[in-house]
Amino acid sequence: MNTVTKSLDELCVNTLRTLSIDAVQQANSGHPGLPMGAAPMAYILWQRHLRHDPGDAKWADRDRFVLSAGHGSALLYSLLHLTGYSLSLDDVKHFRQWGSRTPGHPETFATVGVEATTGPLGQGAANSVGMALAERALAARFNRPDFTLVDHWTYALVSDGDLMEGVSAEAASLAGQLALGKLIWLYDSNDITLDGPASLSFSVEDVEARFRAYGWHVQRVNDGNRDLEGIDRALAEARGQAARPSLIMVKTTIGFGSPHKQGTCEAHGSPLGAEEVALAKRTLGWEGQQAFDIPADALAQFRLARARGAESHERWQATFDAYAIAHPDLAAEFKRRMSGELPADFAQRCDAELPTWDAGAGLATRDAGGKAENALAAFVPELIGGDADLSSSTKTSLTKEGALSAGQYGGRNVHFGVREHAMGSICNGLLYHGGLRAFASTFFVFADYMRPPVRLAALSHLPLICVWTHDSIAVGEDGPTHEPVEQLASLRAMPNLWVVRPADANETAQAWRFALESKRTPVALVLSRQKLPVLAGTKEHARVGVQRGAYVLADATGGAPQVILIATGSEVQLAVDAQKQLAAAGVRARVVSMPCCELFRSQDALYRESVLPSNLRARVAVEAGATFGWERFTGERGVIVGIDRYGASAPGEKNLLEFGFSVARVVEAAKSTLAANR
């Protein structure tokens, strides 16, 4: 490389550094250390390897870049602005401010060009595995010998903290198992954590050996602050690994260029301070420049990305246009899937092919869910997912589809292994990528292991489908470690998450349909292990009832209702049986099935009033879970039949009886609330 080019590269790297520290300093909040240390690797990646189009951030075949170390967001915003995305310098100046497009940690819904919402360490790393998996799955579906339609790379910048988090280990292990050769992690190894040197907690482990053991290709760049050509060579070599993901350990100095704070934890999570910013700029050759100054030569170099990206995009578009002539059906499917739309005939196919059941025979909702899922998979080819080594129990296997494995990426059943946390995060990555609808399944009690990615799906408007079975103390002999109690209430507290606990097979089938129709909200399907009777009325009313969150399943006869029995899941049958006993005693009861509390609360006031009349305060809620939250529906004079302790190891029916889930208890509760409301 000639001297002029080398000097220009250094100028560009230092532009990234100074723009980032100016943003942090102006906000008086943020993390300057990572941008200063990681700027060289970010620059080389974005300037020489990353194929992207700043003019169209959603180009389907772009490379994906994930800043897993999301606290270094100022670096990403600097890259986006400098390379020509629609992120202005004013946006950079409003870093971490109310309503800005440059929040403290990257958010897909706030900033164009951000591929994943990151910040909770390890999540972005696992998301990148999902993105790389999506690329391989879509390539297997759409590429043809005469056309390569899907062919891109996934990169992630990860930190020491990312690699300490267990989720990244789970995800990296699976990436090696699946031989995801188009995945590259740049590891910003600066040996500093928030509390001090990494030697306090992360010095004995040999990270390089660990990743080799995972089946990754591993390299090391010893001077990540200056050796731009070494970074370039390492990336080129990593791109030559067709059957192995790659880790490039880049040794850097946190806060590089700051005379008093580089190499220390003081550079990690606080602004450098005005005096230290001035000293750092002097060290980097920026003396005399105003805040947010961008050298014209550096900006011109960065903005070359627009022409390169447009050219790459145009070449791909020409390929796609020819592909559409040769393979019109596949081209139409590709466009539809990448737009996030369901098949045009989805509603009609659901009406014709989604299974229904007549009242009577018992069927566990996990079994009904499996039947519904397989019916939908037949005409929703983008449906893909798997389980945490539990498909025989969760019934989520797509029976007519193969397993997705190393080199065999056309399968739609992903065997995640016992890796619930990574499973959720990888499924989020599939959704961030686009073109796929992901589901993840495990026992409901282990939803806690998945909670971080479920929260991020809700935050980022990802329509993740969670299939959580074995939903209550009716799990039985496995005992309280496997019996969810507090999970329903806990998950209902999460904004933008629909928690659906269907009462029978018909509600379950409609819940699956609803989950696929959801575009911006994750859906949790909470299903039973034990058989539940198919209830009268659900075949006719479950479609609308599930969509609205609650509905009148069985109304009082002989006059207006005197008491309302509200229930979910397996307990709806208790309410139906209690209604009959109450009727025999001269008490008129209405049974409301409420598969999704949050959906019901989102309905208009008129509909809510039609189901739960405000003047009828004698109410009973019945659910085999924690009682927290049900007071919103029962009021002060209502009664909640629930469980506010952990379960027990005993046959499921015995557990339910001993913990008070019986018709007699519901009848008693109804009479109690009637008396209280006289």
Side-chain angles (χ1 to χ4, degrees):
M1 175 171 291
N2 63 52
T3 306
V4 174
T5 306
K6 183 177 181 181
S7 175
L8 181 56
D9 285 339
E10 290 177 349
L11 180 69
C12 289
V13 169
N14 287 336
T15 299
L16 283 174
R17 287 171 168 147
T18 56
L19 186 56
S20 298
I21 61 176
D22 282 342
V24 172
Q25 187 61 36
Q26 178 146 309
N28 195 29
S29 173
H31 299 73
L34 183 143
M36 298 176 78
M41 71 179 88
Y43 171 72
I44 291 298
L45 173 63
W46 280 59
Q47 188 70 15
R48 303 186 189 177
H49 296 275
L50 191 73
R51 193 177 64 142
H52 62 118
D53 182 3
D56 185 354
K58 294 300 183 182
W59 169 32
D61 202 40
R62 68 192 182 278
D63 290 343
R64 270 66 170 178
F65 172 75
V66 178
L67 183 66
S68 188
H71 55 278
S73 59
L75 174 62
L76 179 54
Y77 302 144
S78 296
L79 286 162
L80 291 170
H81 169 67
L82 291 167
T83 55
Y85 284 80
S86 58
L87 192 74
S88 70
L89 187 58
D90 281 341
D91 289 324
V92 177
K93 291 178 179 179
H94 285 87
F95 179 56
R96 287 182 164 233
Q97 303 308 301
W98 176 264
S100 80
R101 301 173 67 208
T102 50
H105 293 84
E107 298 168 357
T108 54
F109 49 90
T111 313
V112 64
V114 171
E115 300 283 8
T117 300
T118 61
L121 290 173
Q123 291 299 320
N127 294 158
S128 74
V129 174
M131 293 178 188
L133 182 57
E135 190 275 343
R136 291 290 79 199
L138 291 169
R141 172 66 175 168
F142 292 104
N143 287 355
R144 291 296 179 266
D146 50 341
F147 291 100
T148 301
L149 192 65
V150 181
D151 183 17
H152 53 265
W153 293 78
T154 302
Y155 302 91
L157 197 161
V158 305
S159 63
D160 290 305
D162 284 297
L163 297 191
M164 291 186 216
E165 290 284 1
V167 65
S168 67
E170 292 180 18
S173 174
L174 187 61
Q177 172 73 25
L178 294 176
L180 296 178
K182 302 187 80 172
L183 172 66
I184 298 173
W185 286 2
L186 286 161
Y187 169 23
D188 177 31
S189 176
N190 60 38
D191 299 318
I192 293 293
T193 67
L194 179 62
D195 277 350
S199 58
L200 294 171
S201 58
F202 195 53
S203 62
V204 175
E205 178 179 307
D206 187 336
V207 173
E208 294 173 83
R210 170 158 68 97
F211 274 77
R212 289 191 182 96
Y214 288 151
W216 287 52
H217 175 253
V218 178
Q219 301 174 79
R220 182 185 181 101
V221 178
N222 287 318
D223 185 1
N225 301 115
R226 299 179 182 86
D227 189 4
L228 304 184
E229 300 312 309
I231 295 168
D232 186 35
R233 287 192 299 272
L235 280 163
E237 184 174 336
R239 287 169 60 90
Q241 300 298 314
R244 287 189 292 173
S246 288
L247 177 78
I248 304 173
M249 175 184 277
V250 186
K251 299 300 296 183
T252 65
T253 300
I254 193 171
F256 181 82
S258 170
H260 300 116
K261 295 187 177 182
Q262 71 174 21
T264 74
C265 63
E266 292 181 58
H268 174 79
S270 299
L272 297 178
E275 183 177 341
E276 190 68 14
V277 166
L279 292 173
K281 287 186 175 182
R282 180 185 302 171
T283 301
L284 297 171
W286 233 256
E287 191 174 9
Q289 298 285 342
Q290 297 297 311
F292 298 101
D293 274 355
I294 300 171
D297 288 350
L299 184 60
Q301 176 78 343
F302 277 111
R303 289 290 163 90
L304 292 174
R306 290 187 66 89
R308 285 196 306 266
E311 183 181 352
S312 294
H313 192 166
E314 287 170 6
R315 285 198 303 268
W316 179 87
Q317 188 62 50
T319 298
F320 181 83
D321 292 343
Y323 179 89
I325 294 171
H327 306 285
D329 291 344
L330 283 173
E333 181 187 330
F334 182 82
K335 288 182 69 174
R336 177 188 65 76
R337 287 171 59 166
M338 293 307 296
S339 72
E341 296 297 324
L342 289 167
D345 62 350
F346 178 79
Q348 294 88 339
R349 296 285 297 271
C350 282
D351 291 342
E353 300 175 38
L354 202 57
T356 58
W357 291 265
D358 293 326
L363 185 69
T365 53
R366 61 169 174 164
D367 289 308
K371 294 178 187 299
E373 177 188 25
N374 273 276
L376 291 163
F379 54 91
V380 184
E382 57 266 43
L383 185 62
I384 185 173
D387 58 273
D389 196 41
L390 289 169
S391 64
S392 60
S393 291
T394 61
K395 309 299 183 182
T396 47
S397 178
L398 300 178
T399 56
K400 294 184 179 180
E401 303 294 333
L404 189 152
S405 60
Q408 301 294 324
Y409 300 111
R412 291 162 64 187
N413 292 297
V414 184
H415 292 275
F416 289 102
V418 188
R419 300 183 180 98
E420 289 93 348
H421 195 169
M423 173 173 66
S425 304
I426 290 169
C427 284
N428 282 353
L430 293 170
L431 293 165
Y432 281 130
H433 182 282
L436 298 166
R437 288 299 307 272
F439 68 88
S441 178
T442 188
F443 291 167
F444 187 37
V445 75
F446 302 135
D448 291 342
Y449 282 179
M450 286 181 63
R451 191 178 183 91
V454 173
R455 182 179 188 273
L456 284 170
L459 175 67
S460 301
H461 306 287
L462 297 176
L464 175 67
I465 300 173
C466 301
V467 185
W468 290 324
T469 69
H470 297 57
D471 68 342
S472 72
I473 55 171
V475 167
E477 291 87 347
D478 278 338
T481 62
H482 282 55
E483 292 168 359
V485 172
E486 75 280 14
Q487 280 76 12
L488 282 165
S490 171
L491 288 160
R492 285 172 180 151
M494 190 180 291
N496 197 43
L497 172 67
W498 303 132
V499 180
V500 185
R501 187 172 183 243
D504 70 356
N506 287 316
E507 283 194 3
T508 302
Q510 294 304 325
W512 251 108
R513 177 177 180 171
F514 169 75
L516 277 172
E517 290 172 332
S518 179
K519 290 185 176 182
R520 293 177 54 80
T521 301
V523 177
L525 305 178
V526 182
L527 308 178
S528 74
R529 176 195 187 192
Q530 75 275 25
K531 290 183 178 181
L532 304 180
V534 178
L535 301 172
T538 60
K539 184 176 180 180
E540 296 78 17
H541 303 299
R543 169 69 179 141
V544 173
V546 169
Q547 280 189 323
R548 294 202 135 184
Y551 63 108
V552 178
L553 176 63
D555 214 349
T557 57
Q562 298 167 294
V563 62
I564 301 177
L565 309 179
I566 312 165
T568 79
S570 50
E571 290 70 65
V572 176
Q573 176 63 46
L574 285 181
V576 169
D577 291 343
Q579 181 195 44
K580 295 173 184 175
Q581 285 200 15
L582 288 165
V587 176
R588 299 185 301 276
R590 166 180 288 182
V591 175
V592 171
S593 177
M594 189 175 284
C596 185
C597 303
E598 309 80 50
L599 261 176
F600 178 68
R601 292 179 69 207
S602 73
Q603 301 303 304
D604 61 82
L606 187 63
Y607 180 75
R608 295 197 309 271
E609 181 69 15
S610 73
V611 177
L612 299 179
S614 54
N615 64 351
L616 183 50
R617 294 186 294 176
R619 302 178 182 183
V620 178
V622 192
E623 184 174 70
T627 59
F628 182 82
W630 278 108
E631 64 278 357
R632 292 175 301 186
F633 302 105
T634 60
E636 293 181 357
R637 296 184 181 182
V639 177
I640 305 169
V641 178
I643 175 171
D644 288 318
R645 54 152 288 183
Y646 296 110
S649 178
E653 290 184 3
K654 180 67 171 175
N655 267 356
L656 291 169
L657 185 63
E658 291 294 332
F659 285 112
F661 294 96
S662 65
V663 175
R665 172 83 183 281
V666 177
V667 169
E668 177 189 348
K671 292 178 178 178
S672 172
T673 188
L674 275 168
N677 282 280
R678 284 200 178 102

